Amino acid sequence: MSVPVNPPRIHHFIPQSWIKRFESTDGKVWSFDRHAGTIEQRSPKTLMQLFNLYTVQPSGVDDTTLESVDLAKIDNDGANAFGALLNGDHSQAAKLRLAEFFAVQVMRDPDTVTAYGPKAQEFTLGLLEVFDAPDYATFVVAFSAKFPGPEMVKQSEYNYIKSLDPLAAEQALELIIVSLDPKGGLPDLPFTDLVRSPSGRDVVRAHLLSFQWMLKISSSLSFVLGDTGILAERGDIQKLTVPLSNTSALYLVPSDNPTPGVLVHTAAKNDVEALNWESAARARRWLVGDKAQLVHLKDQVGKDLSVLK
């Protein structure tokens, strides 16, 4: 694989096109830097990014194409999907395009990306439960409760682990764990396939489409965007809220029979205030939006937003 002369090292986990939708009424992008405790006008290029977040190293070769090629296309498609919805396309097709983008966005969050190593180790160690299960069916029920997904362990794999003695199984799993956490970073990111293959997003996308989608539009107070982007219930995706622009936010709530397309409602004042507080509470460092709203949030909670967590 050829290595670019100047590969991109600063990777946005919230696309710049999304950040720009929170321009203030003066046409500027204002941001609250939680670390410095300051509100300043900043370029979207400098916000909500981390060094080498999506760099992978297959066979020791530094590869940044996940950021420069694959995620660039997904972000462009996502920007078009945002634009269509906010310009009045509330169809099922518009929902499907957004679900495609959100399925990747949920998994590319820095907290999720940095959790892949420990989670992979936890998954691997969970395979030792094979020796406590009386049969494959019992194992699948217990294992799937911890690691949901379609056929996470096949019966042939279960049979192979079962055929080993416990010591041999532990040694084999230790080698897997060692390979998952080499010095210098993971050799590959488990969500690479999810980014590069649409079929890899099927589980997350289908889950998102099982919700009722509601777009709430505010004509008074402005929404703000925190650097978490999509706000989900802690530890699970039971409902989601997504600030889309300074005037609009998307609410995904559980439903036994979701209607096609996206419903549209007027956002009440408390809807905007509650979502802005949650965005502030979940923010790692950055909040962007109308300057007056940022000043209000900063004055209320001060430099340290952790009081909200």
Side-chain angles (χ1 to χ4, degrees):
M1 177 185 296
S2 61
V3 180
V5 176
N6 295 303
R9 295 299 181 188
I10 305 299
H11 302 165
H12 282 85
F13 50 90
I14 301 292
Q16 295 182 62
S17 60
W18 191 352
I19 298 172
K20 290 176 182 177
R21 294 192 181 278
F22 290 82
E23 287 183 348
S24 192
T25 52
D26 56 10
K28 299 176 181 178
V29 175
W30 291 91
S31 62
F32 173 37
D33 180 353
R34 170 181 173 180
H35 290 180
T38 58
I39 296 174
E40 297 178 11
Q41 179 191 354
R42 296 179 176 89
S43 166
K45 188 176 181 179
T46 66
L47 300 169
M48 305 187 190
Q49 57 185 0
L50 287 173
F51 185 77
N52 268 348
L53 179 61
Y54 305 123
T55 299
V56 296
Q57 298 176 317
S59 304
V61 178
D62 206 22
D63 179 10
T64 60
T65 58
L66 196 68
E67 163 72 11
S68 61
V69 177
D70 303 287
L71 284 171
K73 181 181 184 306
I74 288 170
D75 289 347
N76 183 68
D77 292 344
N80 292 334
F82 269 53
L85 181 73
L86 295 175
N87 287 324
D89 184 356
H90 306 138
S91 66
Q92 180 69 8
K95 180 198 288 190
L96 292 172
R97 289 191 293 270
L98 275 172
E100 189 80 14
F101 172 75
F102 290 153
V104 175
Q105 190 64 36
V106 166
M107 302 305 293
R108 74 191 281 190
D109 181 87
D111 286 350
T112 304
V113 172
T114 55
Y116 284 132
K119 283 294 183 184
Q121 293 186 21
E122 183 182 344
F123 177 90
T124 305
L125 287 172
L127 295 175
L128 288 175
E129 295 178 12
V130 164
F131 294 104
D132 297 325
D135 53 52
Y136 175 66
T138 304
F139 168 76
V140 168
V141 170
F143 197 77
S144 297
K146 295 182 179 179
F147 305 100
E151 197 178 21
M152 299 297 287
V153 179
K154 298 178 180 178
Q155 181 151 13
S156 59
E157 296 166 335
Y158 169 88
N159 292 339
Y160 171 71
I161 297 173
K162 195 81 167 180
S163 70
L164 301 173
D165 64 75
L167 179 58
E170 287 184 10
Q171 291 173 340
L173 295 180
E174 183 179 0
L175 291 176
I176 295 174
I177 291 174
V178 169
S179 71
L180 288 169
D181 193 24
K183 292 182 179 179
L186 297 174
D188 206 344
L189 293 175
F191 84 128
T192 299
D193 288 340
L194 180 144
V195 172
R196 290 180 168 156
S197 172
S199 63
R201 306 165 207 159
D202 287 348
V203 173
V204 179
R205 181 176 54 238
H207 187 60
L208 296 178
L209 292 172
S210 72
F211 293 120
Q212 179 67 63
W213 289 41
M214 294 184 292
L215 180 67
K216 294 190 178 184
I217 301 174
S218 173
S219 59
S220 53
L221 292 179
S222 297
F223 290 104
V224 301
L225 175 69
D227 55 15
T228 301
I230 297 176
L231 303 169
E233 289 289 329
R234 294 283 187 181
D236 202 355
I237 305 177
Q238 294 300 325
K239 66 177 182 178
L240 296 94
T241 48
V242 188
L244 297 179
S245 72
N246 50 16
T247 61
S248 304
L250 195 61
Y251 293 70
L252 277 62
V253 297
S255 174
D256 293 331
N257 187 28
T259 59
V262 181
L263 302 179
V264 181
H265 297 277
T266 298
K269 179 182 178 181
N270 65 296
D271 289 331
V272 181
E273 291 176 339
L275 184 52
N276 285 350
W277 281 115
E278 186 174 4
S279 292
R282 300 287 186 90
R284 302 176 186 84
R285 178 176 181 181
W286 299 108
L287 280 174
V288 298
D290 182 77
K291 185 178 181 181
Q293 283 295 312
L294 297 180
V295 169
H296 173 69
L297 288 168
K298 179 178 183 292
D299 288 345
Q300 290 296 313
V301 301
K303 176 179 176 182
D304 187 3
L305 291 174
S306 63
V307 297
L308 290 174
K309 295 185 177 179

